């Protein structure tokens, strides 16, 4: 049984500041250790539940946060950027399940530590079929395309709640309670890892109860940007339509194509953020 792990960073217990999760800061090495332990706890627990093969896609920032030799379960590591399927690079129909590890709340969520949706410098809000979604909901587009269920989600309480719509039966492990965007009450890493391990074991054992995410067709994806320039630039991508000065829409039936267009828009609008 093969599992796909998409690993972010903000949802790790003990992480409350960008300095802990961005390369070049003294605190980054400590953050990286905390993340690695959590990823390994998920792999170890999933292996106990019966999973035998693991592909980990490092999905945070420059996507080189995990070191291959430190991973448990002889996991394959997808590392570095740029990847066409970004946080979901490597997924295909051969996987039995997906784990979202160390995920975080969407930009705009209340009491969500380090909340953002892909790019905090560009994206104000994302909606799928009218509902506000975070990264778990957007990434579910790829899961839906390949018909692979999301079986496990970890992060703060907001992350667990936001994943409810796309993966109601997934095992949700809450390792911290956010008090704001830069503060949280964190479980001791040992306690967090024990919970992650047990949760992953349960997720694999209950995998038969998990369904791939489903979206009502045709799917519409609305992106609202911080400024109108970004929305205007997004219109350069084929299939992107204007909705309001700061909002664009992509509509389609193929959820993989939709996600690809989203990634293109995110990458393109980064140019305007960097130009600031
Ligand atoms: Zn993220």
């Amino acid at each position: 049984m093969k599992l796909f792990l998409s690993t972010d960073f903000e949802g790790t217990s003990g992480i409350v500041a960008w300095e802990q999760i961005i390369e070049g800061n003294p605190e980054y090495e400590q953050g990286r250790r905390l993340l690695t332990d959590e990823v390994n706890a998920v792999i170890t627990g999933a292996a106990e539940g019966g999973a035998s093969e693991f592909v980990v896609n490092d999905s945070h920032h420059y996507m080189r946060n995990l070191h291959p030799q430190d991973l448990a379960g002889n996991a394959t590591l997808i590392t570095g950027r740029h990847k066409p399927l970004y946080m979901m690079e490597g997924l295909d129909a051969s996987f039995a399940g997906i784990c979202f590890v160390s995920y975080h709340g969407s930009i705009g969520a209340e009491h969500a530590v380090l909340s953002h949706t892909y790019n905090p410098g560009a994206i104000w809000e994302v909606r799928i079929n009218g509902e506000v979604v975070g990264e778990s909901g957007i990434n579910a587009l790829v899961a839906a395309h390949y018909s692979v269920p999301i079986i496990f989600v970890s992060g703060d309480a907001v992350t667990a709640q936001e994943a409810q719509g796309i993966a109601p039966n997934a095992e949700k492990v809450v390792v911290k309670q956010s008090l704001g965007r830069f503060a949280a009450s964190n479980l001791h890493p040992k306690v967090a890892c024990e919970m992650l391990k047990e949760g992953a074991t349960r997720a694999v054992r209950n995998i038969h109860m998990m369904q791939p995410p489903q979206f009502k067709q045709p799917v519409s994806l609305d992106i609202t940007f911080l400024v109108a320039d970004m929305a205007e630039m997004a219109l350069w991508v084929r299939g992107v339509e204007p909705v309001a000065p700061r909002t664009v829409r992509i509509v389609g039936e193929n959820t993989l194509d939709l996600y690809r267009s989203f990634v293109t828009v995110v990458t393109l609008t980064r140019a305007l953020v960097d130009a600031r």
Side-chain angles (χ1 to χ4, degrees), residues 1 43-52 197 200-206:
M1 184 201 285
I43 293 175
T44 307
E48 272 175 32
S52 51
K197 187 166 148 267
T201 304
R202 278 195 303 274
V204 173
R205 289 200 177 131
N206 295 330

Side-chain angles (χ1 to χ4, degrees), residues 16-251:
V16 297
W18 300 120
E19 288 79 7
Q20 294 173 287
I21 60 171
I22 302 288
E23 297 82 345
N25 293 291
E27 288 175 87
Y28 174 68
E29 285 307 319
Q30 177 232 4
R32 176 187 247 174
R33 275 206 304 281
L34 292 172
L35 171 68
T36 304
D37 286 349
E38 289 202 357
V39 173
N40 283 338
V42 175
I43 293 175
T44 307
E48 272 175 32
S52 51
E53 221 183 304
F54 305 92
V55 174
V56 176
N57 178 28
D58 192 328
S59 301
H60 173 75
H61 203 234
Y62 293 137
M63 309 188 186
R64 289 192 284 111
N65 307 287
L66 299 167
H67 287 167
Q69 72 277 15
D70 295 338
L71 288 183
N74 294 328
T76 296
L77 177 62
I78 300 174
T79 179
R81 61 171 194 168
H82 300 276
K83 301 178 280 197
L85 288 189
Y86 213 121
M87 299 184 81
M88 297 304 275
E89 182 64 37
L91 185 73
D92 61 31
S94 69
F95 288 87
I98 297 165
C99 302
F100 288 159
V101 182
S102 191
Y103 268 41
H104 53 81
S106 63
I107 187 98
E110 200 180 3
H111 299 158
V113 86
L114 301 174
S115 63
H116 64 278
T117 304
Y118 271 83
N119 185 353
I123 297 178
W124 174 263
E125 184 178 83
V126 176
R127 289 174 183 260
I128 294 179
N129 289 340
E131 300 283 334
V132 175
V133 289
E135 290 173 3
S136 61
I138 297 164
N139 298 346
L141 292 168
V142 184
H145 177 80
Y146 289 116
S147 271
V148 184
I150 296 154
I151 66 165
F152 177 97
V153 180
S154 72
D156 67 356
V158 173
T159 309
Q161 185 205 317
E162 287 185 344
Q164 202 51 30
I166 45 124
N169 297 330
E171 195 66 40
K172 321 269 186 336
V173 178
V174 174
V175 296
K176 60 184 171 190
Q177 298 290 334
S178 296
L179 304 171
R181 200 152 181 254
F182 300 105
S185 170
N186 302 279
L187 290 179
H188 189 281
K190 272 190 201 154
V191 177
C193 285
E194 196 50 44
M195 285 171 59
L196 291 162
K197 187 166 148 267
E198 286 168 8
T201 304
R202 278 195 303 274
V204 173
R205 289 200 177 131
N206 295 330
I207 202 163
H208 56 275
M209 291 162 51
M210 321 273 185
Q211 305 293 329
Q214 287 195 336
F215 294 94
K216 204 163 159 268
Q217 295 285 356
V219 184
S220 80
L221 179 78
D222 287 8
I223 311 166
T224 301
F225 295 93
L226 266 54
V227 294
D229 284 29
M230 291 171 180
E232 211 171 297
M233 196 180 223
L235 297 176
W236 298 358
V237 179
R238 208 175 127 183
V240 178
E241 297 157 19
V243 172
R246 290 190 299 145
T247 304
V248 300
R249 177 170 296 165
I250 318 166
V251 182

